[in-house]
Amino acid sequence: MPQQPPVRSSPTRPQRPDASMSLITNVMDHSLDDGYAEAAARRTSEGEGGLPKTLRAKLGLAAGLVLAALVVTVGAAQARVTAPVVAKERQELIDRIDSETADADKLESTVDTLRDDVSARQRAALKSSGGSAEADLVGLLSGATAVHGPGVKLVVNDAKEASGGGDGSNPRETSGFSDTGRVRDRDMQRVVNGLWASGAEAISVNGQRLTALSAIRAAGDAILVDNRPLVPPYTVLAVGDEERLSTRFQNSADGLYLHALEENYGIRATISAEGDVRLPAAPSVIVRTAQPKSEKTAQPKSEKTEKGTS
């Protein structure tokens, strides 16, 4: 029977008691100072090979500031260059406006002169057309001559705070009247018509003589009398029996309408009797259609009947 070789047992190393705690053992065996030393060495090498990060950041900020300052400087230089050109254009526009305004004023003055000349010629024609009393009456009624005499002075003005709106139940209610504290053209129409109905013989509004051809209209917020804009306060002068005219107007429907505007919307109105009011002549009275009646009457033509003979 063959003999088995003897089994040789290799000697085993003794195990450490803390073999199961390898992480802690590694930390204890290898100090962290080596890692710190390595990081310090790396930072040193980077410093030797290039600029530190903080210095690079400062240089970048400085470059940005220099660029911004350059942009601002260039913009300011361009503004200084273009400023004289803009100022020159502005001055040229101002001069042009002044010139056109002066021309318009000159033309308006010429129109007023011609209108006065036409009015004077019309008054002369009225005086030469017939008897003196009749001509004076025609000139008074047509507004072609200036008049004066006892009468009333009525001043109508906007409310102190011209604002507010209608609720549909007021005497001013109409489309587009968003500001009920303002005197409107329809208000002045009612005032003037009320004075005529109360016995006024001649009326003017802010020095503008009213005639049978006059019209009171509105253009935006402005009131026009014969296409001439008026500004508040509106001074209405009426020639007539001052006491009777004042009383009758205030008691009339139009006078009560004006009183309602005062009570409800703050529109200001004062009326006073005057011993003598003076009204200018109307700028021009142009009659295009009406013709004076001729005193001669046409003779009717006689009809002739021819009788036949049998």
Side-chain angles (χ1 to χ4, degrees), residues 21 95 99 139 254 273:
M21 297 181 292
D95 294 340
S99 176
D254 298 313

Side-chain angles (χ1 to χ4, degrees), residues 75-89:
Q78 291 180 350
R80 284 195 299 270
V81 171
T82 57
V85 178
V86 174
K88 182 179 179 181
E89 294 178 351

Side-chain angles (χ1 to χ4, degrees), residues 268-291:
R268 294 164 287 174
T270 58
I271 186 171
S272 60
E274 302 290 332
D276 184 53
V277 294
R278 296 183 177 273
L279 278 62
S284 62
V285 180
I286 302 175
V287 180
R288 297 182 175 86
T289 305
Q291 298 294 332

Side-chain angles (χ1 to χ4, degrees), residues 8-67:
R8 301 178 62 183
S9 60
S10 60
T12 60
R13 296 179 181 178
Q15 294 184 357
R16 294 178 56 177
D18 55 354
S20 61
M21 297 181 292
S22 60
L23 179 60
I24 297 176
T25 303
N26 187 24
V27 171
M28 295 298 294
D29 292 343
H30 301 283
S31 174
L32 295 178
D33 294 337
D34 298 337
Y36 290 136
E38 182 180 358
R42 185 169 59 251
R43 286 198 299 270
T44 303
S45 62
E46 289 179 355
E48 294 176 353
L51 296 175
K53 292 183 179 180
T54 55
L55 183 58
R56 289 200 301 270
K58 290 180 180 179
L59 291 177
L61 179 60
L65 292 176
V66 170
L67 181 60

Side-chain angles (χ1 to χ4, degrees), residues 123 126-127 129-147:
R123 290 191 291 270
L126 285 173
K127 289 182 180 180
S129 63
S132 177
E134 182 180 357
D136 291 342
L137 178 60
V138 172
L140 186 150
L141 296 177
S142 64
T145 59
V147 297

